[in-house]
Every structure is written in C-alpha cells, then in structure tokens.
Amino acid sequence: MPINAPWNYPTLMCTPPGGTGDVFPTETVLPLEAEAYEITRGGDIWRVTVKHSGEVLYEGTGPVVLVESPAPF
C-alpha cells in the first residue's frame, strides 16, 4: 500500500465458532461497506446476502453481525 493511500476499515462478518472446541467467533473480511449486505433470519438459519446481486455469503447458525473493523487493513 502506498504511503499516501487512505486506510481501509473493512466490514467484518462475525459468525458463531465453526468447529468442535472453538470458542471465538469467526471473522470474515468483506469487500463492501456494511450497508451493502442484508442479514435475514428464518427460524434457526441466518443468511447474509449482497443486496445488489442477491449472492448469499453465509447461511447457517447465528447470531451473525456485520461490523466495521476497529483497525485498518
């Protein structure tokens, strides 16, 4: 990254721990701002979708939250 490039505070998708014995949520870096995604819940299934394309990025147990990273990448 060039020195004069602006910092990027990416969107993080936080999902429940993935494997047996995992305790910490999984954080996945997403390329768009948080407003570009939609979180829906149907029963026990949570879904994260890209609004403009309808692409499903996550479908599984919840809760799921989207946050702006507190640190730049």
Side-chain angles (χ1 to χ4, degrees):
M1 173 184 317
I3 290 178
N4 61 354
W7 290 100
N8 180 18
Y9 292 80
T11 300
L12 300 175
M13 176 175 62
C14 304
T15 57
T20 306
D22 287 350
V23 226
F24 298 106
T26 302
E27 292 182 345
T28 305
V29 177
L30 301 178
L32 304 172
E33 66 279 353
E35 294 79 24
Y37 304 98
E38 180 178 32
I39 298 175
T40 55
R41 180 178 178 191
D44 293 337
I45 301 299
W46 292 63
R47 188 174 288 116
V48 177
T49 307
V50 180
K51 288 180 181 177
H52 72 273
S53 69
E55 178 184 3
V56 176
L57 300 178
Y58 176 82
E59 188 172 47
T61 59
V64 177
V65 292
L66 299 175
V67 296
E68 184 178 278
S69 172
F73 281 45

